[in-house]
Amino acid sequence: MGFARTCSVALIGVEGVVVEVQADLEPGVAAFALVGLPDKSLTESRDRVRAAIVNSGEVWPQKKLTVGLSPASVPKGGSGFDLAVACAILAANDRIAPGSIADLMMIGELGLDGRVRPVRGVLPAVLAAADAGYRQVVVPERTTAEASLVPGVSVLGIRTLRQLVALLNDELAPEEDLDPARADGRPDPILAGLTVPGGGVGTGLAGGLGDASLTGHGPDLADVAGQRTARTALEVAAAGGHHLYLKGPPGAGKTMLAERLPGILPPLTRQESLEVTAVHSVAGILPPGRPMVDAPPYCAPHHSATMPSLVGGGSGLPRPGAVSLAHRGVLFLDEAPEFSVRALEALRQPLESGHVVVARAAGVMRLPARFMLVLAANPCPCGRYSMLGEGCDCSPTAVRRYQGRLSGPLLDRVDLRVEVESVSRSDLLGQGPGESTATVAARVVAARERAAARYRDTPWKLNSEIPGHEMRTRWHVAPGALHPAERDMERGLLTARGLDRVLRVAWSLADLAGHDRPDVDDVFQALHLRTGVSRGVPVAGGV
């Protein structure tokens, strides 16, 4: 009787659970049983592993073989267990010393010819292994760079099962030829497992604008004509991490403004990059050739998107949705009233908590969702309700119904609400370019540095993250500065949540202006940016 064990990782969302892969050989009729709550793709690994072992020149044991995946109560899926299963079987058959793989973490899919194919979710899997105390991991060669992002872990990238067996036995590793499909310039089919068709690459879901900005050819804020108030709101949103609602007629520049928001956001910190990369790796939209995402993602789903596609879901174990793909970046909902009401209302919980919990029959998944929401809407179905000199064809009932699709509770969670007016001829033709993205981004970085210094000894970094009670009691505004907001609250124009959000925006305005604390002008401007009602004080800002 032979027995051996090694380890792999089961991913539930972006969180990993260490799984012990055990192989047991007993005398009896040759059979292969795989137990431990595997899904369909994992059950099929029996045939993949058998063919890979035989085609690698090894002997398949003609005994009763049982492979167990523990803990058995955790659902397991995907093809990333193939490598661990194969090595456990070879160790149980005395082809590999069982002790050499007992403390190894193995992740990878096996082809029928013994090649080790890359799989999605390597980064969160290695992070889970490191948290569990493992210091050596074996991954496909093509994902070595991604796995090496985790500090304190020794990563071994392999190309074939035969190569790994030789290394474990201290034998001379054979030279493995490159896949012939690469010699003539065709795409390497071995990389197909890293991406999901339609999962976001090239569709505007994530990464597109960020990649363009890295090359210097991304959208520039200087391209936006006029819109001084909207540009200021964009800068304030970037400085404090605030949500933004842009309302105006078609062609006024709402989409242009939203597309330029990621460019004025600071680069991601290493911890933030690891969080974003983990989500994108699981979702299969990690940019080719870039193991780490270092720019804020930009996600712009179509208005026909369903609720599961926004917040996460799907059959079986839930998959990351748009709110998670936009983690640490921007989620832009163009034509927001055209989204389904259920999908819009589902955003309320992640807007407050910064994460989303999706419960399904197959399991519960918690995903990060700390994003900046940008809503864009026309004033009415025809878009001409507020345009000067144009008649609106919509009935008052249609206008109210259209505007009512964005509920009060949802808009109450949006810090900045700006009316985007039609661009005048003088703004479009008579003025030079406005401030560039680089100029505004420099001010945003300086404002965030001031906020970070203020919150140095706290778990928060941005003004939008501070709980209302902490903001009111620990960081005080100038004497009398809050009186305008308090009067609006007494008149029912502001809710308690609205007052807290005005206070957060006032702090962002103060950080941009270099003030030690918000004064009455900062509060007036914050009220104007939230309610759209002018208080007799011009909206300040560098734009």
Side-chain angles (χ1 to χ4, degrees), residues 23 51 65 128 142 150 177 185 199 220 298 322 436 439-440 493:
L65 170 62
R142 299 299 178 84
V150 182
D177 295 332
D220 198 302
Y298 176 83
S436 66
T439 302
V440 178
L493 300 178

Side-chain angles (χ1 to χ4, degrees), residues 43-316:
T43 302
E44 292 174 348
S45 69
R46 294 179 298 184
D47 300 315
R48 291 194 300 271
V49 168
R50 184 197 300 269
I53 289 178
V54 172
N55 290 328
S56 297
E58 305 295 338
V59 177
W60 181 260
Q62 297 300 316
K63 297 180 180 180
K64 181 182 179 181
L65 170 62
T66 303
V67 173
L69 308 175
S70 300
S73 59
V74 176
K76 306 166 190 72
S79 56
F81 293 89
D82 289 2
L83 191 59
V85 170
C87 288
I89 293 173
L90 291 174
N93 201 32
D94 294 328
R95 179 63 180 89
I96 302 173
S100 65
I101 65 171
D103 295 325
L104 280 182
M105 180 67 64
M106 299 188 181
I107 305 163
E109 175 186 336
L110 285 175
L112 300 185
D113 56 356
R115 288 185 301 170
V116 181
R117 302 176 65 92
V119 295
R120 293 179 285 123
V122 166
L123 176 59
V126 177
L127 285 170
D131 291 340
Y134 289 85
R135 293 295 173 259
Q136 289 184 311
V137 297
V138 179
V139 299
E141 186 181 53
R142 299 299 178 84
T143 59
T144 303
E146 182 181 346
S148 299
L149 296 174
V150 182
V153 176
S154 175
V155 179
L156 174 61
I158 60 169
R159 194 172 294 177
T160 64
L161 178 61
R162 183 174 60 167
Q163 183 185 46
L164 178 59
V165 171
L167 291 172
L168 292 174
N169 288 329
D170 292 328
E171 301 172 355
L172 181 63
E175 291 291 336
E176 303 291 351
D177 295 332
L178 292 175
D179 188 271
R182 299 180 59 196
D184 56 6
R186 290 183 296 166
D188 191 349
I190 205 170
L191 298 177
L194 291 178
T195 59
V196 177
V201 177
T203 63
L205 274 180
L209 295 175
D211 295 343
S213 64
L214 293 176
T215 64
H217 300 289
D220 198 302
L221 199 58
D223 300 334
V224 180
Q227 307 300 356
R228 182 172 182 270
T229 301
R231 288 165 61 98
T232 299
L234 206 70
E235 183 175 339
V236 174
H242 304 289
H243 307 304
L244 175 63
Y245 174 39
L246 300 172
K247 180 180 178 182
K254 302 185 294 297
T255 303
M256 289 185 66
L257 288 163
E259 289 177 346
R260 283 146 181 80
L261 179 55
I264 63 176
L265 294 176
L268 300 177
T269 64
R270 179 172 178 80
Q271 179 59 37
E272 292 171 345
S273 293
L274 289 175
E275 295 173 5
V276 174
T277 304
V279 175
H280 286 206
S281 178
V282 169
I285 61 172
L286 202 60
R290 285 180 54 197
M292 176 175 278
V293 179
D294 53 8
Y298 176 83
C299 185
H302 191 261
H303 63 257
S304 62
T306 61
M307 185 178 72
S309 70
L310 280 182
V311 300
S315 59

Side-chain angles (χ1 to χ4, degrees), residues 272-500:
E272 292 171 345
S273 293
L274 289 175
E275 295 173 5
V276 174
T277 304
V279 175
H280 286 206
S281 178
V282 169
I285 61 172
L286 202 60
R290 285 180 54 197
M292 176 175 278
V293 179
D294 53 8
Y298 176 83
C299 185
H302 191 261
H303 63 257
S304 62
T306 61
M307 185 178 72
S309 70
L310 280 182
V311 300
S315 59
L317 283 175
R319 295 186 296 272
V323 296
S324 297
L325 299 180
H327 180 59
R328 302 296 182 185
V330 178
L331 175 63
F332 176 49
L333 302 186
D334 199 4
E335 305 295 343
E338 300 295 339
F339 283 78
S340 72
V341 175
R342 291 181 66 244
L344 291 172
E345 294 305 307
L347 298 176
R348 287 157 56 176
Q349 184 259 341
L351 283 177
E352 288 286 340
S353 63
H355 64 267
V356 60
V357 178
V358 184
R360 295 291 186 270
V364 178
M365 179 179 66
R366 184 181 187 274
L367 288 168
R370 179 73 64 182
F371 58 92
M372 292 174 58
L373 176 65
V374 180
L375 300 171
N378 295 326
C380 66
C382 75
R384 299 193 297 267
Y385 182 70
S386 61
M387 294 179 65
L388 298 177
E390 293 286 347
C392 175
D393 299 329
C394 305
S395 66
T397 302
V399 173
R400 287 196 302 268
R401 185 185 300 115
Y402 182 81
Q403 296 180 351
R405 293 179 66 86
L406 298 179
S407 68
L410 174 63
L411 290 180
D412 200 38
R413 290 167 167 81
V414 178
D415 305 347
L416 307 170
R417 309 176 196 172
V418 178
E419 291 280 350
V420 182
E421 302 293 341
S422 299
V423 180
S424 66
R425 182 182 61 83
S426 60
D427 288 334
L428 190 62
L429 302 176
Q431 295 183 357
E435 285 187 310
S436 66
T437 291
T439 302
V440 178
R443 289 200 298 266
V444 170
V445 169
R448 288 203 173 194
E449 288 175 350
R450 293 187 187 98
R454 185 167 60 249
Y455 307 132
R456 184 181 299 110
D457 299 326
T458 72
W460 311 294
K461 295 181 179 179
L462 299 177
N463 294 320
S464 60
E465 300 173 356
I466 310 298
H469 177 266
E470 297 288 338
M471 180 68 78
R472 294 190 303 270
T473 57
R474 294 182 60 176
W475 295 281
H476 301 286
V477 301
L482 270 182
H483 288 169
E486 292 170 354
R487 286 197 299 268
D488 280 6
M489 186 176 179
E490 291 174 356
R491 288 182 245 171
L493 300 178
L494 279 180
T495 62
R497 181 191 290 118
L499 180 64
D500 289 339

